[in-house]
Amino acid sequence: MIVTVTILALASLLFISGIIRPDLVAVSALILLMLFGILTPDEALSGFSSPIVMMMIGLFVVGGGIFQTGLAKQVSRRLLKLAGTNETTLLIMVMVVTAAFGTTVSNTGTVAVLMPIVVSLATSARINPGRLLMPLAFASSFGGTLTLIGTPPNLVIQETLVSAGYGKLSFFSFTPIGLVGFMVGLVSLLFLRRFLPRNETGKKTRSGRSPGELARKYQLSDNLFRAKVGATSSVASRTLSELNISARFEVNIIEIRRKTSARNQFLKTIDQEIAGPATVLEEGDILYIHGTFDQVRRVTKEYGLILLDHQVPEDRQPAGAEQYATAKIGIAEVMLTPGSNLIGKLVEQSGFREKYRVNILGIQRKDRLLLHNLKGEKMLFGDALLVQGTWKDIALLSAEQADYVVIGQPAEESRRVTMDNKAPIAAGIMLLMVVLLVTELIPAVVSVMIAAVLMVLLGCVRTMEDAYKTINWESIILIGGMLPMSTAIAKTGAAELLSNSLASSLGSYGPVVLLAGVYVTTSVLTLFISNTACAVLLAPIALNAAAQLGVSPYPFMFAVSIGASMCFASPFSTPPNALVMSAGRYTFGDYIKVGLPLQVVMGIVMVLVLPLFFPF
């Protein structure tokens, strides 16, 4: 027992100091427990096969799908319309929505669904995500105390009461005391948020401009129009070289999008391709034409195309980068080198389209933007060329350093562009996961794994490699390494000795003092063992202690349930705390500074309020 407590204390000190990475500390603690014979290898490694760890892996992939499809951005944009960009308003909204969600969905599932949305929300509002993610995790715990099914400890105390001959608790038995806890937590976090990470200023995360910034710089939204190939159009079944549209009308057909129908209509997608001389146009194709409005109108009239953008540029709403940059196709800026062989050549002689299958959309020459009639334009030293092509082809340009240099990192930018056409699929998968978690038709871990696999199979996560990249392995190792610690504590009798000693020693001082002892004991033990295991251990002890005093067991049982759920002072005490750790860039010290005071405040309030709702 002494060795176990010593290892736990040493690990806690290292977590707080931050001298060694948390995941390395967790694995080192496991090794020591095995070397001293406290845990067998099977017991020590059992945490990595735990349903909690597998669920976290699946949830990271689900979150990645929500991000990569742009679903998080779309939802956060709507939430911003409701709450604005004020940090206080956003924090309140995030906590209210999370707590409401957590009344029926597990706190881990709640955080997994909402975390990518909150990160996108914070980014859009120019707020450090760390200002909202810890409140998100804590609010999920508050939500679990609002209903009977909100969190496992609630069901544990009901089972203990029923086994002892007491009546069942109703679905809303927890709601009054849970609402008090939520309000206290919300107000406390409004004061404690001063210890959360602040916005980082003056740091440039990457060189080069994003697709959105490039689109604005080159005024692309004013020069891009869409035209559809109708049933009566004369361009159907003809190649672009045969039509020679670019030369005749001084416009560029830069991209073609067409529907690709699978047998399953659910999998219908939009296929995109860069327009080349050999491209054959088909009925229903959407042509993206770059040029002035008058020129584009002449093209559509000549060939019987259906112009989808009917207004003149001055009246059009800026389309942004989404018309030019998608998950498959992107834009980038290219600078000519001093000794480039392209200097003095015409754009049509550059070979960009023939060699690299990319189009030149614009040229920045000092303070001027050249956007039209580019084929006959000579390229000069110092010119910046805006090119469009597939991200793969743009990346090939980066390998060529003799004549030009690609500014920025195309591969990195391609991962930032969302697959908006997949957003409805991601929403459907997320809804399916929520329904399965709420109805509990199958185990929660199975529900999450199904959702994760569907995200990959249906293309919401680009590749399996991208799915692996969405997983934060530091958090997985941390939780997997610390879960067996509860086995060591229980195996050596340390937890039972502590709980029995406190209950027996405080019983003589009256029910209020005993209630405080039960709550504090539960709250402390939950830092080191799971809240469910903590409730299972302490519920019978609290029940027997109440019987010995001849008082109602209800306030003591609720103290166990709520104390087991309100655990905020450690990142590995609950899966939600661990899930937000990497995304919020938190240290162990952040949980101590914010979570520990919150946990203390909650304890004081609960000890005072519980007897009012459940008299002795």
Side-chain angles (χ1 to χ4, degrees), residues 4 75 177 188 200 209 272 280 316 434 442 481 503 550 577 587 597:
T4 301
V75 175
I177 192 67
S188 299
E200 298 179 2
R209 291 182 171 92
Q272 302 165 257
V280 179
R316 296 176 70 221
V434 171
I442 54 179
N577 289 2
T587 63

Side-chain angles (χ1 to χ4, degrees), residues 308-320:
L308 301 181
D309 301 295
H310 296 287
Q311 296 173 299
V312 295
E314 289 76 15
D315 297 329
R316 296 176 70 221
Q317 294 296 321

Side-chain angles (χ1 to χ4, degrees), residues 225-229 235 240 245 253-257 281-282 285-289 299 305:
F225 298 87
R226 297 169 301 150
K228 184 176 181 179
V229 179
V235 303
L240 289 178
I245 292 175
I253 298 178
I254 60 175
E255 183 183 331
I256 297 170
R257 300 190 188 185
L281 301 182
E282 300 176 6
D285 283 354
I286 304 295
L287 311 182
Y288 281 71
I289 307 176
V299 172
L305 300 172

Side-chain angles (χ1 to χ4, degrees), residues 1 23 117 129 132 138 164 183 193 208 232 255 263 268 279 298 304 313 332 376 392 408 557 567 601:
M1 183 191 303
D23 49 348
I117 295 173
L132 298 177
F138 294 170
M183 293 306 299
R193 61 178 170 165
T232 59
E255 183 183 331
R263 292 183 179 180
K268 182 179 288 185
T279 301
R298 287 175 54 211
K392 182 178 179 181
M557 300 302 284
C567 189
V601 169

Side-chain angles (χ1 to χ4, degrees), residues 506-528:
L506 296 177
S508 59
Y509 295 100
V512 175
V513 176
L514 178 59
L515 180 67
V518 169
Y519 189 97
V520 170
T521 303
T522 307
S523 185
V524 171
L525 280 181
T526 309
L527 292 172
F528 307 107

